[in-house]
Amino acid sequence: MHGCIFSFTRQAEMKGLGHAILTGRTLTGMEPFGVVLADDLCLQDDNSQANVLEQMVKVFNQFRCSIVAVMEVPEDEIHKYGVIKGEELKDGLYKVSDMVEKPNKEDAPSNLAIIGRYILTPDIFGIIEKTPPGKGGEIQLTDALLQQAKDGCVIAYKFKGNRYDCGSVEGFVEATNYVYENLYLKGKA
Ligand code: G1P
């Protein structure tokens, strides 16, 4: 890709998403940065004018704080996700007041699940450093974001587009079929 420089860092121990992000600190410095969890494939649909990160950059430019992508999920799937509670500021934009990593459906604060797209402000690193291990004994980004929300502001954004869970066999097959039928056969991929 022209105009891009790729660097990488390695998480040597399996200590969770928060810890993984901390290993990127030397790459991003004091800039806000995007996080893309590759097992969540997000694609533009016919109604979305921009891809999910473009949409989120617009929201970031308005609020200048960390932004998380969310979508509504059925009750019996909520335990797979970080889940937010928030005050709806306007259509699809929520000021986060609570966040729970992979709750039981009884404890979930809403049906709005975090999808693997984030824009984070660099103060998150200092917060992650102080975040104790949470769900599953791992250092959870969700816990650090809740702290950031309490200290200032985190916005959840219900993005426009399709999302596929490529971390499951069904999701991976569904994504492959979608890309084949809607992009590849139409000469767009
Ligand atoms: C991670 C996050 C979780 C988020 C999910 C999205 O979990 O910890 O909050 O909802 O990604 O895919 P993972 O699926 O990596 O266990």
Side-chain angles (χ1 to χ4, degrees):
M1 269 188 257
H2 293 296
C4 294
I5 298 171
F6 292 91
S7 304
F8 73 91
T9 177
R10 185 167 164 266
Q11 183 187 26
E13 296 164 281
M14 289 201 336
K15 285 191 180 173
L17 178 59
H19 176 258
I21 285 170
L22 200 51
T23 67
R25 187 179 205 165
T26 50
L27 300 177
T28 60
M30 287 311 289
E31 297 288 322
F33 57 97
V35 173
V36 175
L37 303 188
D39 54 353
D40 279 327
L41 178 67
C42 295
L43 296 173
Q44 260 175 266
D45 63 15
D46 294 339
N47 301 320
S48 40
Q49 310 274 304
N51 70 43
V52 58
L53 274 182
E54 284 171 334
Q55 295 171 38
M56 291 174 75
V57 166
K58 271 192 195 159
V59 178
F60 174 80
N61 285 336
Q62 193 181 345
F63 290 93
R64 313 298 295 179
C65 67
S66 290
I67 317 291
V68 300
V70 292
M71 66 181 262
E72 292 184 26
V73 302
E75 198 184 60
D76 60 349
E77 288 183 24
I78 205 82
H79 64 279
K80 298 184 199 166
Y81 300 93
V83 182
I84 69 118
K85 179 180 169 186
E87 176 203 345
E88 189 162 16
L89 300 175
K90 54 182 159 173
D91 205 23
L93 278 177
Y94 303 81
K95 185 168 192 293
V96 171
S97 57
D98 197 9
M99 251 181 181
V100 188
E101 180 67 11
K102 302 195 178 83
N104 300 326
K105 65 179 175 192
E106 296 77 24
D107 304 325
S110 77
N111 66 344
L112 289 172
I114 301 170
I115 297 308
R117 298 292 182 280
Y118 307 80
I119 293 180
L120 302 177
T121 53
D123 56 309
I124 197 74
F125 293 122
I127 301 173
I128 294 172
E129 277 180 329
K130 294 194 195 113
T131 301
K135 188 86 184 182
E138 297 186 335
I139 297 170
Q140 297 293 349
L141 178 61
T142 302
D143 296 340
L145 280 167
L146 175 58
Q147 190 57 49
Q148 203 181 33
K150 286 180 178 165
D151 293 347
C153 181
V154 170
I155 298 289
Y157 169 62
K158 213 200 274 183
F159 68 97
K160 298 181 182 65
N162 296 323
R163 175 262 179 176
Y164 299 90
D165 173 15
C166 295
S168 73
V169 173
E170 299 80 6
F172 184 76
V173 170
E174 203 190 340
T176 305
N177 287 337
Y178 179 89
V179 170
Y180 178 69
E181 284 163 24
N182 294 283
L183 302 179
Y184 180 78
L185 287 183
K186 293 179 182 169
K188 297 182 192 165

